[in-house]
Amino acid sequence: MKLGQFHLSKKAGQARRGTLMTAHGPIQTPVFMAVGTKATVKAMTVEELKDCGTQVVLGNTYHLHLRPGEKLIQKLGGLHEFMRWDRPILTDSGGFQVFSLSGLRNLTEEGVEFRSHLDGAKYFIGPEKSMEIQMDLGSDIIMAFDECLKYPATDEEVKRSMDLTYRWLVRSKTAMTREKSLLFGIVQGGLKLEHRKYSLDQVTSVDLPGYALGGFSVGEPIEMMHVLVKEVAPMLPEHKPRYLMGVGTPLDLILSIDAGIDMFDCVMPTRVARNGTLYTWSGKVSIKRNEYREDPSPLDPECDCYTCKNYSKAYLRHLFLIGEILGSRLNTIHNLHFYMNLMARARKAIEDGTWNEYRDFCLSRFVKKPNSD
Amino acid sequence: MKLGQFHLSKKAGQARRGTLMTAHGPIQTPVFMAVGTKATVKAMTVEELKDCGTQVVLGNTYHLHLRPGEKLIQKLGGLHEFMRWDRPILTDSGGFQVFSLSGLRNLTEEGVEFRSHLDGAKYFIGPEKSMEIQMDLGSDIIMAFDECLKYPATDEEVKRSMDLTYRWLVRSKTAMTREKSLLFGIVQGGLKLEHRKYSLDQVTSVDLPGYALGGFSVGEPIEMMHVLVKEVAPMLPEHKPRYLMGVGTPLDLILSIDAGIDMFDCVMPTRVARNGTLYTWSGKVSIKRNEYREDPSPLDPECDCYTCKNYSKAYLRHLFLIGEILGSRLNTIHNLHFYMNLMARARKAIEDGTWNEYRDFCLSRFVKKPNSD
């Protein structure tokens, strides 16, 4: 396969089984990408990531720009070499973080001036700077620099923002000159279908190897996202990968795959793991609960991760309650394994023509029943 | 070999190469034991411990008694099963921690009443209770319950304390009824040779499978310890293992092996690793230093641990500065590997008849030179 090519091998309704070729090898979709904000997926070695089935790691432009700086990483051979990850890396544009720094920023046509959350030092990121940073990092998939609106926003705000995001996309494309990297555009447009269509037309008018849906999972009721993704995802170009940014729960993933999404990332499985929340095929488990005090059974008898094969709930609870690093590690291994396994089974089900059964099985496991917790 | 047997295979001056048989297999001495305070060696899996060459893990009676409690651990199959460590475990008596709780304790002939550092709840540990806890944990090597005096102490205090420690040892021996466990006695006596001799005569009058020197590394100038250990170690029974508790730096280990010590434990390599201090064959490295900012070289080119084989000083510095768990992990792996390798080479040198050369090589590496930092 050629760099940037996306091959669709099978469909089941809107659900798609694909392969995207990057400079660090192919990505099998649907895929969940592990978030490695600051050049490490928290608590994990790269070998453990691979053992969990991780195909892609996501790096954060904003955080890496501040520390240790992309020039330093470039000097040391790029982000892959720096963190010893030899599979694909996707970097975000820095926009999401910058726009989260409310009060610390100044938006102009050029870009965003902001102050570091660390020491208040002044920085500027615009489309050209974002591309420069991501190219210096040696990212395989580079995200266009976009404006992320707060939720809720007025129609006027959304309109102005979409137009700016489009102009920034055009500048991003001009500035992104690294042949080995793939540039993805980001469709914004808040929570109205007409806005999403407007932005989608703008963004897909630029020919790119992939397109993302941004601005979801920002505080809106999750059902609104599901309804909108179901409508918008199929409007994206059929033969390009579709990436739903920052999403989501196991249920979100299954519903969004069913709507035609190919790529996902989310800090959730790793973050909640460190806080003692674990995903299992029987639902979420809060490992601190007293009922697990003397429980010799594994977290999830249906799971074959290192944690479930070796340790009891009682031990995991003990480690969590005393704040041991090993607890964060074992929990993260489990949650990432769970997510990667969920996706591997989704890929297989689409291939095998059993997607509907798998989807319904997942729904039956993940949708809360009335009168249950 | 029979359980509890200690076989001396070679000597070089006072330095000894031995094998101690426990219920979980033989321990090759000289040995450094990794401290796993609360049923985990901080930041490490048991597989990583084995990869570093760890033979024995040390558990802390005080901490495990408080959380999760030895009865819970016993119910779950003992400490080995609980933490999935199938090699020997040594547990301390709880005395050291209890006596560190200044102001929170009340000492009587019976034992010590103290308040938990966690919630102020009242507890009592005496020789019988300490044995019961350690037996419940299923420890391979159980330490007698002793009084650990603060430093400095008056002659009178030392004398009273040694006599109490002896009476507690006799009670410990009576109470320790688990056939699979080995009970070690602890020689106290502060920093005077005559007191050490007095305590040594008392403690070794009780026939036990091993003896320890306690009460060192409690704040005294380290040279005082070295002088005293050099005198006292050879007075301990020749055909029993000799354990110097809570010691020490790489230099301390080499000097103490040379004095005839067989076993060591210390939190130092794991604790300072998490604080960014790393032991190398060229001395201690503080990984946060600016000189390592762009340094692509491994921490120690003479080391073949996972960290040194894979990561640059620049990456380790980055992880440390941003407080990432992976930094604690990689640093701990290196320091433990360094300690275990130091000991493996010591064992080999004694076997090969090259102990003096190895010792002098280590001294040339570890002793600070004038005009160096």
Side-chain angles (χ1 to χ4, degrees), chain A residues 38-40 42-43 45 47-48 67-68 72 75-76 82 84 293-294 306 310 314-315 318 324 329, chain B residues 38-40 42-43 45 47-48 67-68 72 75-76 82 84 293-294 306 310 314-315 318 324 329:
Chain A
K38 301 172 183 174
T40 161
K42 288 190 194 302
T45 62
E47 289 77 14
E48 286 164 350
R67 291 188 302 189
L72 185 153
K75 204 165 173 177
L76 289 161
F82 187 56
R84 306 296 288 174
R293 218 181 82 84
E294 300 187 351
Y306 170 75
N310 288 285
Y315 187 59
H318 168 67
E324 285 286 348
R329 292 184 57 186
Chain B
K38 300 170 183 175
T40 160
K42 288 190 192 304
T45 62
E47 288 78 12
E48 287 164 348
R67 290 190 301 192
L72 185 152
K75 205 165 172 178
L76 289 160
F82 187 57
R84 304 296 288 172
R293 219 181 82 85
E294 301 187 351
Y306 170 74
N310 289 285
Y315 187 61
H318 168 67
E324 285 285 348
R329 292 183 57 186

Side-chain angles (χ1 to χ4, degrees), chain A residues 136-307:
Chain A
D136 285 346
L137 294 173
S139 178
D140 296 296
I141 301 176
I142 285 179
M143 300 306 296
F145 191 71
D146 62 334
E147 185 186 1
C148 304
L149 264 189
K150 63 183 191 315
Y151 167 83
T154 66
D155 283 5
E156 205 161 295
E157 287 170 331
V158 172
K159 186 84 194 335
R160 181 205 51 75
S161 176
M162 291 189 297
D163 290 342
L164 179 64
T165 285
Y166 171 66
R167 292 193 298 275
W168 282 0
L169 171 61
V170 174
R171 282 167 55 192
S172 291
K173 190 178 178 186
T174 304
M176 209 297 277
T177 53
R178 189 172 182 270
E179 281 183 14
K180 284 188 174 175
S181 301
L182 310 175
L183 178 65
F184 278 28
I186 304 174
V187 173
Q188 290 287 348
L191 293 169
K192 287 195 179 164
L193 182 58
E194 57 172 298
H195 292 153
R196 284 282 165 182
K197 279 183 177 168
Y198 179 89
S199 176
L200 190 145
D201 285 342
Q202 286 181 315
V203 170
T204 56
S205 74
V206 182
D207 184 37
L208 294 169
Y211 298 95
L213 300 178
F216 284 117
S217 208
V218 291
E220 78 280 9
I222 202 67
E223 294 74 15
M224 291 180 73
M225 177 187 86
H226 288 309
V227 168
L228 213 45
V229 167
K230 206 167 177 61
E231 301 237 38
V232 174
M235 298 177 187
L236 285 162
E238 169 87 0
H239 293 284
K240 298 287 173 72
R242 303 160 174 173
Y243 166 25
L244 180 57
M245 301 178 79
V247 174
T249 64
L251 180 62
D252 294 338
L253 300 189
I254 294 299
L255 291 175
S256 303
I257 291 171
D258 200 53
I261 297 291
D262 308 301
M263 301 168 67
F264 303 90
D265 80 283
C266 192
V267 294
M268 193 144 44
T270 43
R271 180 177 292 162
V272 303
R274 299 194 302 281
N275 295 325
T277 299
L278 296 154
Y279 292 100
T280 77
W281 286 101
S282 311
K284 276 201 283 188
V285 165
S286 175
I287 197 61
K288 72 179 174 205
R289 290 172 64 102
N290 194 55
E291 64 190 281
Y292 306 130
R293 218 181 82 84
E294 300 187 351
D295 190 335
S297 71
L299 187 55
D300 189 346
E302 295 177 72
C303 177
D304 65 349
C305 80
Y306 170 75
T307 303

Side-chain angles (χ1 to χ4, degrees), chain B residues 73-372:
Chain B
I73 291 177
Q74 184 189 36
K75 205 165 172 178
L76 289 160
L79 186 53
H80 289 88
E81 176 71 18
F82 187 57
M83 66 182 286
R84 304 296 288 172
W85 175 251
D86 57 9
R87 293 184 182 177
I89 288 177
L90 180 148
T91 45
D92 65 7
S93 68
F96 184 78
Q97 274 77 23
V98 168
F99 287 103
S100 309
L101 300 168
S102 65
L104 292 174
R105 57 186 163 76
N106 179 28
L107 174 71
T108 65
E109 180 69 26
E110 266 314 290
V112 194
E113 193 182 66
F114 62 96
R115 288 182 180 279
S116 157
H117 71 286
L118 298 169
D119 60 4
K122 241 182 219 170
Y123 287 85
F124 173 85
I125 294 187
E128 293 77 14
K129 185 72 189 172
S130 173
M131 295 305 107
E132 184 191 329
I133 297 171
Q134 295 183 72
M135 290 190 287
D136 284 347
L137 293 173
S139 178
D140 297 296
I141 302 176
I142 285 179
M143 299 307 296
F145 191 70
D146 61 335
E147 185 187 359
C148 303
L149 262 189
K150 65 183 193 313
Y151 166 82
T154 65
D155 283 6
E156 205 159 295
E157 285 170 332
V158 172
K159 186 84 194 333
R160 181 204 51 73
S161 176
M162 291 189 296
D163 289 342
L164 179 65
T165 285
Y166 171 67
R167 292 192 299 275
W168 282 359
L169 171 62
V170 173
R171 282 166 55 192
S172 292
K173 190 178 179 187
T174 303
M176 209 298 275
T177 53
R178 190 173 183 269
E179 280 184 16
K180 283 188 174 176
S181 302
L182 310 176
L183 178 64
F184 279 28
I186 304 175
V187 173
Q188 291 285 350
L191 293 169
K192 286 194 180 164
L193 182 58
E194 58 172 297
H195 292 152
R196 284 281 163 183
K197 279 183 179 168
Y198 179 89
S199 177
L200 189 146
D201 284 342
Q202 285 181 317
V203 170
T204 57
S205 74
V206 182
D207 185 38
L208 295 167
Y211 299 95
L213 299 178
F216 284 116
S217 207
V218 290
E220 78 281 10
I222 201 66
E223 294 74 16
M224 290 180 73
M225 177 187 85
H226 288 309
V227 168
L228 212 46
V229 167
K230 204 165 178 61
E231 300 236 39
V232 175
M235 297 177 189
L236 286 162
E238 169 88 1
H239 293 284
K240 298 288 173 71
R242 302 160 173 174
Y243 167 25
L244 180 57
M245 301 179 79
V247 173
T249 65
L251 179 62
D252 294 338
L253 300 189
I254 294 300
L255 291 175
S256 302
I257 291 170
D258 200 54
I261 297 292
D262 307 301
M263 301 169 68
F264 303 90
D265 80 284
C266 192
V267 293
M268 193 143 45
T270 43
R271 179 176 293 164
V272 303
R274 298 194 304 281
N275 295 325
T277 299
L278 297 153
Y279 291 100
T280 77
W281 285 101
S282 310
K284 276 201 283 189
V285 165
S286 175
I287 197 63
K288 71 178 175 205
R289 289 174 64 104
N290 194 56
E291 63 190 284
Y292 305 130
R293 219 181 82 85
E294 301 187 351
D295 190 336
S297 71
L299 186 57
D300 189 346
E302 296 176 71
C303 178
D304 65 348
C305 79
Y306 170 74
T307 304
C308 289
K309 276 190 300 189
N310 289 285
Y311 299 95
S312 64
K313 288 209 227 24
Y315 187 61
L316 294 177
R317 179 175 183 272
H318 168 67
L319 293 178
F320 177 73
L321 288 182
I322 60 176
E324 285 285 348
I325 288 175
L326 185 58
S328 291
R329 292 183 57 186
L330 296 179
N331 292 352
T332 304
I333 285 174
H334 171 80
N335 271 2
L336 268 188
H337 185 278
F338 183 86
Y339 265 64
M340 299 309 170
N341 184 242
L342 182 76
M343 301 305 271
R345 289 174 69 174
R347 290 193 294 274
K348 179 126 199 335
I350 300 170
E351 280 167 15
D352 293 350
T354 57
W355 168 251
N356 288 354
E357 289 83 342
Y358 179 65
R359 176 199 62 205
D360 293 345
F361 164 76
C362 290
L363 298 188
S364 76
R365 291 297 187 99
F366 303 146
V367 175
K368 285 183 192 162
K369 288 135 202 113
N371 299 325
S372 87

Side-chain angles (χ1 to χ4, degrees), chain A residues 99-149:
Chain A
F99 288 103
S100 308
L101 299 168
S102 66
L104 291 174
R105 57 186 162 77
N106 179 31
L107 174 70
T108 65
E109 180 68 26
E110 266 315 289
V112 195
E113 192 181 68
F114 61 95
R115 289 182 180 280
S116 157
H117 72 286
L118 298 170
D119 59 5
K122 243 184 217 168
Y123 288 85
F124 173 84
I125 296 189
E128 292 77 14
K129 185 72 189 176
S130 174
M131 294 305 107
E132 184 191 326
I133 298 171
Q134 295 182 73
M135 291 190 287
D136 285 346
L137 294 173
S139 178
D140 296 296
I141 301 176
I142 285 179
M143 300 306 296
F145 191 71
D146 62 334
E147 185 186 1
C148 304
L149 264 189

